[in-house]
Amino acid sequence: MIGLPRDGGLPTDVWVLHRPPPEEGPPESILIALVVDHEGLVETWRGHTTGAEPGDSARSVAILDLLDDDVDLSPDRHIRADPEPLDTGAATARLRAAIAALPEPPRLRPAGDRTGHAVTTVGDLVKAGVLAVRQGPFRREEPAPQAGPGATLRMLTARDVHARRAATGRVPADSPGHVTLEPGDVVAVVPAVAGSGVVVVDDGGAVLGPRTQLLRPDRERLDPHYLAGVLWAAATVETRITGRSDIRRVAVPLLPIGTQRDVGEAFRNLWALETGLREVREAGLVLLRGSVQGLGAGSLEVDA
């Protein structure tokens, strides 16, 4: 019985069942474990099969001991996982630093008469040769376990796009259909739900991952950060952008390239603000949860 990390959600347990060989009969005990890291879990299981003593996050429990009036096979019931006491000083410093690092939002004012600006769509920009659109692969090819470091490429995943970070995925270099990213490319997630992130690629070399879409603008006529900001704005109001055809219908105001770059810089400022607010939230939750758990378990006390 394996208890997986909650990660803020409901507890999830995995039961690993297998039929014992006929000559051995049913086992006398089972392994109950809480996942700390997957490597440790594999080692714990191997040790259990050879009769080794399990670690702190696992127990070998006799089946007869489980068959009482209140049968509960939840790993949390049998293994007490005491978290390390929170370093409240460090957690508070992280929160204060995150708040202090928040950038100032761009100075904005109500726009004047907008009737003079023509509006086009992503699809029309593609037809006019201002923009090229490429689709990511339909599924991800996992690197082979025996593959060496030179056999894989960096891959920008949908999660990377949502988190607005550099590529963290890996894909076999010999798998077909790679779309290599270049600086200035705009990448969006498809299908996109309201509020989905969009990224502008800073450094090239990675490849496009599944459920993503690349838009490569002619930078002399269309600013990448302006385009990404328009797509970001559309994703905040659209319920769902389900595919390539839908993203082509996104409206793009035709502004002079100089104005596009000014607006694009404002969007870059707002992305930095969003990233900073995420860090403030994460730092605050670390301090909050750790303090609540520590006070409740008695590992922390009030510093008078």
Side-chain angles (χ1 to χ4, degrees):
M1 313 298 177
I2 304 168
L4 302 179
R6 294 195 182 193
D7 194 22
L10 295 175
T12 302
D13 300 336
V14 175
W15 290 20
V16 181
L17 307 177
H18 67 98
R19 188 185 302 276
E23 65 274 12
E24 293 185 7
E28 297 181 355
S29 64
I30 61 173
L31 179 69
I32 298 181
L34 290 175
V35 167
V36 178
D37 62 82
H38 293 85
E39 280 298 321
L41 179 63
V42 171
E43 292 303 317
T44 299
W45 171 252
R46 288 174 178 167
H48 174 70
T49 59
T50 58
E53 191 69 23
D56 295 336
S57 61
R59 283 185 60 198
S60 180
V61 182
I63 293 178
L64 289 177
D65 293 341
L66 299 173
L67 303 178
D68 55 16
D69 293 335
D70 184 17
V71 177
D72 187 347
L73 300 181
S74 302
D76 287 343
R77 170 73 172 77
H78 301 276
I79 301 173
R80 180 176 177 83
D82 293 322
E84 289 292 326
L86 175 72
D87 184 341
T88 55
T92 302
R94 177 188 173 187
L95 176 59
R96 289 174 175 167
I99 294 173
L102 286 176
E104 287 290 325
R107 297 180 61 183
L108 305 175
R109 65 174 184 270
D113 183 11
R114 294 180 290 172
T115 57
H117 296 308
V119 177
T120 186
T121 65
V122 168
D124 287 337
L125 290 172
V126 172
K127 293 176 183 177
V130 179
L131 187 63
V133 177
R134 299 288 300 275
Q135 190 76 37
F138 288 105
R139 65 185 182 90
R140 174 180 176 177
E141 296 288 346
E142 294 291 346
Q146 68 275 13
T152 62
L153 300 172
R154 292 185 301 118
M155 181 175 66
L156 187 71
T157 67
R159 289 186 177 183
D160 294 333
V161 177
H162 283 303
R164 301 192 194 281
R165 65 192 181 199
T168 62
R170 306 296 300 187
V171 66
D174 58 357
S175 58
H178 289 315
V179 178
T180 303
L181 300 175
E182 300 177 1
D185 285 343
V186 178
V187 180
V189 176
V190 177
V193 295
S196 292
V198 182
V199 297
V200 179
V201 176
D202 290 326
D203 58 337
V207 297
L208 197 62
R211 300 195 303 110
T212 60
Q213 199 163 13
L214 177 150
L215 298 93
R216 182 170 292 163
D218 177 349
R219 300 177 69 172
E220 296 301 316
R221 294 188 285 174
L222 183 61
D223 182 72
H225 291 92
Y226 171 68
L227 173 62
V230 170
L231 295 175
W232 184 21
T236 63
V237 294
E238 293 288 341
T239 304
R240 194 171 182 84
I241 298 175
T242 56
R244 177 170 178 161
S245 61
D246 293 308
I247 206 170
R248 287 173 178 251
R249 291 198 293 266
V250 173
V252 181
L254 287 177
L255 304 179
I257 188 64
T259 306
Q260 288 184 34
R261 289 168 180 158
D262 290 341
V263 175
E265 187 61 32
F267 276 125
R268 294 181 72 172
N269 182 286
L270 291 171
W271 283 316
L273 180 60
E274 181 194 48
T275 300
L277 289 172
R278 287 182 179 179
E279 171 60 14
V280 168
R281 182 180 184 275
E282 179 61 27
L285 288 175
V286 168
L287 178 59
L288 176 65
R289 292 170 180 166
S291 298
V292 169
Q293 290 174 357
L295 287 172
S299 61
L300 294 176
E301 62 182 11
V302 178
D303 186 358

